[in-house]
Amino acid sequence: MKKLVYTFLVLALMSTSCSKYLDQVPDDRLTIEETFRTWSTAERFLADVYRRVPDEYGQRDAGSESNRGVWTGGSDEADFVWGFVRSNDINIGNWDANSGFVGDYWRNFYRGIRGASVFMENADKITDLSPDLIKRYKAEARALRAMYYFYLIRIYGPVVILGDQVPSVDMNIQLPRSSFDECVAFISSELEKAAADLPTVQGRTEDYGRITKGAAMAFRANALMYAASPLYNGNTDLADMINKDGKHLISQTYDANKWKVAADAYQSFLSTFVPGTYDLYRENDASGNYDPYLSCRNVILKDWNKEVIFARPGSSIGPRQYELTPYHNGASSRDVKGSGGLGATQNMVDAFFTKNGRNIDDPLSGYVKTGYSQYQTPNDTHPIEVYNQWANREPRFYVNITFDGSTWLNTSFGEITTRLYNTGNSGKQTGGGDYSPTGYIVRKAMGTGKWDVDNRSVILLRLAEIYLSYAECLNEAEPGSGEALRYLNLIRERAGIPQYGSESLPAPVGQEALREAIRKERRVEMAFENNRFFDVRRWKIGEQTQNGPMYGLNISSDLPDFLKVVVFETRVFNKRHYFFPLPSNDVNNDKELVQNPGW
């Protein structure tokens, strides 16, 4: 009787390497028939496929079995203080095809892909599940498989597409990479097929986190947008990225229609699901008035709100909140004492608009570089002394950034003022190994209670991202599109800042100006949500944004010298860094697999 070993193997090492999973099963070997006879064991099999969904709050431990990212600290948004965090290696160019996290994503997503295929191939054998539910769960597996391919191509570029093939454990894979366009075509087709058999919403609380029709169609549109983006669409810098038979893996001819195809996919999603299924999250204050600060803060904190399209239920929220909570030496409770080890860069701080919706370098912004003012931030109940650069900023600034002198979110133990200068309660000298490396601390996704919790999901896709992606695709497909401006303004209206084209703020004129406005809005709205790392790559601007000096405050000094903007790190980014290298072992074993350029 045919055996299924509960293993998922590295693609090109499938004959020599394995690791057990699904520990709930006492015996690690079950027959196909035993595994898929009843839903109780088949469900655990499918649950293990879901386990590959990235846990993006656990980025200190990059890769690992839950595909934790290196994306926040590995972009110009932030920096981790601890040297062992792998994003620090990426930032200084100290990594290669043998680095452990490089192989983790490759292995783990292919494990999920193989597991999804096994489930799809055998689900019809389940005896105690209705045909309709079997169809639905097979669609979930199909969607997960396509999503894992999407995650792979974001990281590595073109990959090997296995289709419905389920390689045996003793098979020596010798397959070439598919082109990027072929990868996206497969992902798009599979997600469309899956969506037909998926529910629009999950009816039971215990099913939250499972794939829905909307999640599948949103991921499909995202994949199509990537195919249209400059890194993949007519990128002659990658003319030598070819298979051994001479096949180009990246399109060498620009195709403007790809933007229209992506825009149409987003428009289809929006017309189908908005506002009935999804809508921008909005919240009123205690007086019943709309509050943009609470709306932009709590969209991340309130599980399964109407803006959430896809989220991972089990997440490393406790470790992430430890990174976001300042050291607060002398505080009376551990609940308000963390590390503050994830520092926001000055580059990111300066990206937020002023309260009148303008860039800080706009002469009409009202931005003041020096001095202090009494100012009441949206988080405060009374005015506090604020350095003028941090006063009169838009609500999202206060959602995202903890700055020196700001009031901590958790007031259960009294009002705590965070001091980030060298000898302050959360400064470098005070914290020892736990302090912000930039003089600012990331605040987004920090709850208002204790940091040590484990019962919140991590949002992987929300409607605001879809609005901004749709606006981007429309502007590229229909230059200067009024519809693109409308969706951009929906994000600004929710954020509580003037809309473009209003009496106080002129609209961008022309495609290039609107493109810049969309990119700036995306940077701010999606800050610290793992988009920036990939956006600058697909836009092909990483050599400008990720290379060279990164700025922060003078953390080794007390006030006033602390406020001087200094270079805290010089980062390395060149053309090879647009893609991760393929793991060297896999390239060595699969003779058809070509390495990414420069690695």
Side-chain angles (χ1 to χ4, degrees):
M1 187 178 291
K2 183 180 178 182
K3 294 278 185 178
L4 170 68
V5 182
Y6 267 121
T7 59
F8 289 139
L9 310 174
V10 184
L11 176 66
L13 297 179
M14 210 162 281
S15 63
T16 61
S17 173
C18 65
S19 59
K20 186 174 72 174
Y21 77 98
L22 197 57
D23 294 335
Q24 303 95 320
V25 181
D27 185 350
D28 69 351
R29 290 175 180 265
L30 296 176
T31 65
I32 288 284
E33 288 73 17
E34 288 169 335
T35 302
F36 289 95
R37 179 179 296 124
T38 65
W39 178 232
S40 63
T41 50
E43 184 179 26
R44 283 183 285 170
F45 191 101
L46 182 58
D48 194 76
V49 179
Y50 267 101
R51 187 162 63 92
R52 310 300 171 182
V53 172
D55 176 9
E56 296 293 22
Y57 283 157
Q59 296 194 14
R60 269 182 282 157
D61 183 20
S64 70
E65 288 196 345
S66 54
N67 291 311
R68 296 163 175 170
V70 288
W71 324 129
T72 303
S75 76
D76 59 353
E77 293 179 323
D79 191 65
F80 279 97
V81 69
W82 305 288
F84 64 83
V85 179
R86 295 284 71 84
S87 58
N88 289 327
D89 290 329
I90 288 178
N91 292 334
I92 62 174
N94 184 30
W95 61 302
D96 57 30
N98 294 304
S99 299
F101 64 92
V102 168
D104 284 349
Y105 301 116
W106 182 266
R107 278 191 300 275
N108 291 331
F109 284 127
Y110 271 114
R111 287 170 178 168
I113 286 165
R114 187 178 187 277
S117 295
V118 169
F119 184 89
M120 292 163 59
E121 186 177 80
N122 293 283
D124 290 325
K125 298 173 183 176
I126 301 170
T127 60
D128 59 348
L129 205 59
S130 70
D132 284 346
L133 283 176
I134 289 175
K135 181 189 292 187
R136 168 181 160 179
Y137 292 132
K138 286 173 68 175
E140 288 184 20
R142 185 182 298 278
L144 283 168
R145 185 175 70 177
M147 287 161 53
Y148 293 161
Y149 275 119
F150 173 70
Y151 284 130
L152 280 169
I153 64 173
R154 286 198 315 172
I155 298 170
Y156 301 99
V159 296
V160 177
I161 297 291
L162 297 174
D164 290 328
Q165 178 182 357
V166 182
S168 63
V169 295
D170 59 351
M171 182 178 179
N172 182 18
I173 295 291
Q174 297 293 314
L175 290 173
R177 300 166 74 174
S178 299
S179 71
F180 193 85
D181 286 344
E182 289 169 340
C183 292
V184 170
F186 178 80
I187 292 166
S188 172
S189 174
E190 288 293 286
L191 287 170
E192 205 164 24
K193 288 178 187 175
D197 295 326
L198 289 169
T200 300
V201 296
Q202 297 293 354
R204 305 182 307 168
T205 302
E206 57 264 38
D207 287 335
Y208 288 175
R210 287 187 177 274
I211 306 297
T212 59
K213 190 185 298 288
M217 297 311 291
F219 270 91
R220 175 178 179 268
N222 281 354
L224 292 168
M225 179 182 68
Y226 269 68
S229 296
L231 183 61
Y232 313 102
N233 188 4
N235 184 2
T236 55
D237 285 348
L238 294 175
D240 59 348
M241 192 174 179
I242 57 176
N243 278 341
K244 293 184 177 180
D245 62 359
K247 175 181 178 178
H248 282 284
L249 296 178
I250 298 293
S251 167
Q252 293 300 290
T253 304
Y254 176 73
D255 182 358
N257 190 58
K258 289 180 178 179
W259 287 110
K260 183 179 186 307
V261 171
D264 288 347
Y266 284 117
Q267 197 281 327
S268 176
F269 172 91
L270 293 169
S271 63
T272 303
F273 299 109
V274 179
T277 306
Y278 308 110
D279 207 354
L280 291 182
Y281 179 81
R282 298 175 67 90
E283 187 172 327
N284 293 340
D285 62 20
S287 301
N289 301 313
Y290 174 67
D291 192 320
Y293 168 76
L294 291 179
S295 299
C296 293
R297 185 189 75 182
N298 293 345
V299 64
I300 306 298
L301 301 183
K302 185 176 180 180
D303 274 345
W304 316 113
N305 67 76
K306 203 174 180 183
E307 187 166 334
V308 177
I309 298 172
F310 186 58
R312 189 184 200 275
S315 69
S316 300
I317 182 61
R320 169 49 61 95
Q321 293 197 149
Y322 175 74
E323 300 158 5
L324 307 186
T325 302
Y327 190 77
H328 287 153
N329 185 48
S332 61
S333 173
R334 175 179 182 269
D335 290 353
V336 292
K337 298 175 68 174
S339 69
L342 181 56
T345 64
Q346 186 74 48
N347 310 57
M348 187 65 231
V349 166
D350 290 346
F352 290 95
F353 303 107
T354 54
K355 69 178 183 180
N356 64 8
R358 295 176 180 267
N359 301 317
I360 64 170
D361 58 359
D362 186 327
L364 299 178
S365 68
Y367 180 73
V368 178
K369 287 189 175 182
T370 61
Y372 283 84
S373 298
Q374 290 293 309
Y375 181 75
Q376 185 171 332
T377 77
N379 179 54
D380 285 297
T381 58
H382 57 85
I384 62 173
E385 188 175 60
V386 177
Y387 188 49
N388 280 329
Q389 290 187 18
W390 311 325
N392 296 302
R393 302 295 288 272
E394 61 156 311
R396 289 176 297 191
F397 176 82
Y398 303 102
V399 169
N400 281 273
I401 304 296
T402 293
F403 53 87
D404 181 65
S406 57
T407 305
W408 185 235
L409 292 164
N410 184 350
T411 58
S412 300
F413 306 92
E415 187 174 289
I416 300 173
T417 299
T418 302
R419 305 313 308 245
L420 294 165
Y421 53 83
N422 188 37
T423 60
N425 61 21
S426 303
K428 180 179 180 181
Q429 181 174 311
T430 305
D434 289 336
Y435 60 91
S436 166
T438 67
Y440 302 96
I441 302 173
V442 174
R443 181 173 281 202
K444 193 175 204 173
M446 182 65 217
T448 58
K450 65 179 184 179
W451 65 263
D452 192 7
V453 298
D454 59 3
N455 58 350
R456 233 176 59 218
S457 63
V458 52
I459 297 173
L460 298 174
L461 185 59
R462 60 186 178 98
L463 186 61
E465 179 184 341
I466 299 301
Y467 279 8
L468 290 165
S469 298
Y470 182 42
E472 178 180 342
C473 293
L474 275 177
N475 184 53
E476 299 301 332
E478 305 170 19
S481 166
E483 187 77 346
L485 184 63
R486 183 170 81 86
Y487 277 90
L488 176 61
N489 275 333
L490 286 173
I491 299 299
R492 292 176 69 84
E493 189 273 335
R494 195 265 295 274
I497 54 177
Q499 300 176 47
Y500 290 117
S502 64
E503 184 177 345
S504 63
L505 190 68
V509 177
Q511 183 185 39
E512 185 174 343
L514 185 53
R515 179 189 298 135
E516 182 181 5
I518 291 168
R519 289 183 179 184
K520 286 181 177 179
E521 200 72 39
R522 187 179 182 96
R523 183 179 189 184
V524 169
E525 175 66 26
M526 306 309 299
F528 312 118
E529 293 185 55
N530 307 302
N531 278 268
R532 179 71 174 172
F533 184 96
F534 297 104
D535 283 341
V536 299
R537 284 163 170 76
R538 67 181 182 85
W539 292 333
K540 206 179 163 192
I541 62 171
E543 290 154 278
Q544 290 76 52
T545 63
Q546 311 303 302
N547 188 52
M550 289 291 148
Y551 296 95
L553 299 178
N554 188 14
I555 62 172
S556 297
S557 295
D558 287 332
L559 293 168
D561 286 348
F562 165 77
L563 296 171
K564 293 179 179 177
V565 175
V566 298
V567 175
F568 72 85
E569 183 175 61
T570 300
R571 293 188 174 176
V572 175
F573 189 102
N574 54 49
K575 290 190 185 302
R576 75 172 185 169
H577 294 127
Y578 281 103
F579 298 122
F580 273 36
L582 305 190
S584 58
N585 284 343
D586 298 270
V587 174
N588 292 336
N589 282 274
D590 182 350
K591 302 306 179 185
E592 295 297 317
L593 198 62
V594 296
Q595 183 58 276
N596 278 330
W599 295 102

